[in-house]
Amino acid sequence: LELFSRGETIGVFQFESDGLRQNLKSLKPNRFEDLIAMNALYRPGPMEYIPSYINRKHGRESIQYDLPEMEEHLKETYGIIVYQEQVMQIVQTIGGFSLGGADLVRRAMGKKIKEEMDRLKGQFTEGAAAKGFDPVKAGELFDLIVKFAGYGFNKSHSAAYAMVTFYTSWLKCYYPTEFMAA
């Protein structure tokens, strides 16, 4: 993890770009979950939330939830939507979707079909209103989720990548000559 904190990840799977190395230096990862999150955040959809993730981790920014009910789904990522699974949990909790319906939302977001997204937004706000949530606030939340979905990762995919990253960083740390030669 110290190697990541120093940004010394040239040649390390998924973590060798200049931008990602700079973010790692700021993040100072001290747990494997930080690598999973950073791998998922460094994508076009959620990338703009990297500074907030880092600042919230280090206590320089307060952790906020659009709705208190979102805390259980976003606590591990400091109140920021990072994974597709979190999107699915939010649309279930706030919008009243079934697990299957939440998966349809995830799939539609991935395909970026505007007509389908508009229909799902209406269903989400109606479901939220039926559960006692402000439909305007629910619509704003849905728009935030759609923005995230520009290239959101699922956690299992990001975790698998992070594991390969961790293995390759271990080789670089303890066998640097052999690692770089290979």
Side-chain angles (χ1 to χ4, degrees), residues 89-100:
Q89 292 168 329
I90 291 167
V91 299
Q92 286 178 275
T93 301
I94 309 301
F97 281 72
S98 67
L99 182 58

Side-chain angles (χ1 to χ4, degrees), residues 47-74:
M47 187 179 277
E48 70 181 84
Y49 300 105
I50 291 173
S52 282
Y53 182 90
I54 292 169
N55 287 331
R56 290 175 183 195
K57 174 185 172 56
H58 295 295
R60 295 185 295 254
E61 184 178 308
S62 65
I63 298 170
Q64 299 171 19
Y65 304 97
D66 289 337
L67 298 166
E69 293 79 2
M70 293 171 60
E71 182 175 0
E72 71 178 290
H73 309 306
L74 301 179

Side-chain angles (χ1 to χ4, degrees), residues 162-182:
M163 185 55 89
V164 172
T165 297
F166 201 76
Y167 288 154
T168 56
S169 68
W170 186 89
L171 291 169
K172 182 175 181 172
C173 185
Y174 293 102
Y175 299 94
T177 304
E178 294 85 349
F179 175 80
M180 294 311 279

Side-chain angles (χ1 to χ4, degrees), residues 60 95 146 151-152:
R60 295 185 295 254
V146 169
Y151 200 80

Side-chain angles (χ1 to χ4, degrees), residues 5-63:
S5 291
R6 293 190 306 264
E8 295 176 10
T9 54
I10 299 250
V12 174
F13 177 68
Q14 289 284 306
F15 281 75
E16 61 182 334
S17 74
D18 289 338
L20 193 43
R21 289 181 19 243
Q22 288 304 314
N23 284 314
L24 286 169
K25 288 180 191 177
S26 298
L27 178 64
K28 303 266 185 257
N30 60 353
R31 59 190 186 127
F32 183 69
E33 289 78 8
D34 288 336
L35 301 180
I36 298 171
M38 186 55 74
N39 189 37
L41 283 165
Y42 202 76
R43 310 289 164 183
M47 187 179 277
E48 70 181 84
Y49 300 105
I50 291 173
S52 282
Y53 182 90
I54 292 169
N55 287 331
R56 290 175 183 195
K57 174 185 172 56
H58 295 295
R60 295 185 295 254
E61 184 178 308
S62 65
I63 298 170

